[in-house]
Amino acid sequence: MDIKITEELDNTLKDNGFKKEEIQELIDNAESSGVKLKARDGDVSIAKGVSDNLTMYAVYSPSELLDVYAHKMSILGLTGGELNDVDYDDASDWTCAKCGEIALERNVDMTYMGVTRPGPGLVCPKCDEFYVSDGVAKTLKTAESILEEKRA
């Protein structure tokens, strides 16, 4: 699946050290495995790729890359460890493409540099896949910078 990257987003990729090939591979893996979130009301998807020290996300339509973001924090799992009574008031605007379940907005435990805190995540209740939104990733970036400054 070849997708179009606007000049503005291409500049964002360069500014953040992302390579087009990495993003294309991320999307290709999501498309082939089905491990991604799909918007409940459209054809936008979120692909996720996890490496040793970075989790990257690509938001895309069938023809165009719409956004890319990342965070260094590792998502450990649900805060409290279990997904008890599913309350569909927690339903997000996203569906797990692999199993078809509606992703839930739940707190997840995130850790970085030995500090663990809960934060908002998107969780597939069936697959136990965890995602964060672009807005949460921006907050995480700030938190990561504060932790890095304290350790410097």
Side-chain angles (χ1 to χ4, degrees):
M1 172 181 207
D2 287 329
I3 59 170
K4 178 182 163 193
I5 299 175
T6 63
E7 185 176 330
E8 180 182 347
L9 198 50
D10 189 43
N11 289 334
T12 299
L13 294 176
K14 290 175 186 168
D15 291 346
N16 291 294
F18 299 132
K19 296 178 183 168
K20 288 181 188 177
E21 299 79 22
E22 289 176 319
I23 302 304
Q24 185 67 54
E25 185 178 337
L26 188 72
I27 292 170
D28 289 344
N29 286 341
E31 289 297 314
S32 65
S33 68
V35 179
K36 63 180 184 177
L37 293 180
K38 285 197 64 122
R40 292 170 59 190
D41 63 350
D43 59 0
V44 174
S45 298
I46 300 176
K48 176 181 75 171
V50 181
S51 66
D52 289 342
N53 58 1
L54 193 68
T55 302
M56 294 179 19
Y57 300 87
V59 182
Y60 61 100
S61 71
S63 61
E64 184 176 5
L65 182 64
L66 303 172
D67 194 12
V68 174
Y69 55 95
H71 58 83
K72 296 178 186 174
M73 290 198 176
S74 296
I75 298 175
L76 300 175
L78 288 165
T79 300
E82 292 183 23
L83 186 64
N84 296 323
D85 302 328
V86 174
D87 182 354
Y88 281 94
D89 289 344
D90 296 333
S92 74
D93 295 333
W94 300 94
T95 299
C96 176
K98 187 172 183 178
C99 70
E101 288 288 320
I102 295 172
L104 303 175
E105 296 178 0
R106 291 290 170 95
N107 273 347
V108 294
D109 286 333
M110 299 179 214
T111 189
Y112 184 61
M113 298 182 75
V115 176
T116 302
R117 296 285 185 269
L122 297 169
V123 179
C124 173
K126 191 172 182 179
C127 298
D128 282 337
E129 286 289 332
F130 304 98
Y131 298 80
V132 298
S133 68
D134 179 23
V136 171
K138 288 177 184 167
T139 301
L140 294 178
K141 196 169 189 173
T142 301
E144 292 162 357
S145 295
I146 292 169
L147 290 171
E148 289 167 357
E149 284 178 22
K150 284 185 176 185
R151 295 291 165 110

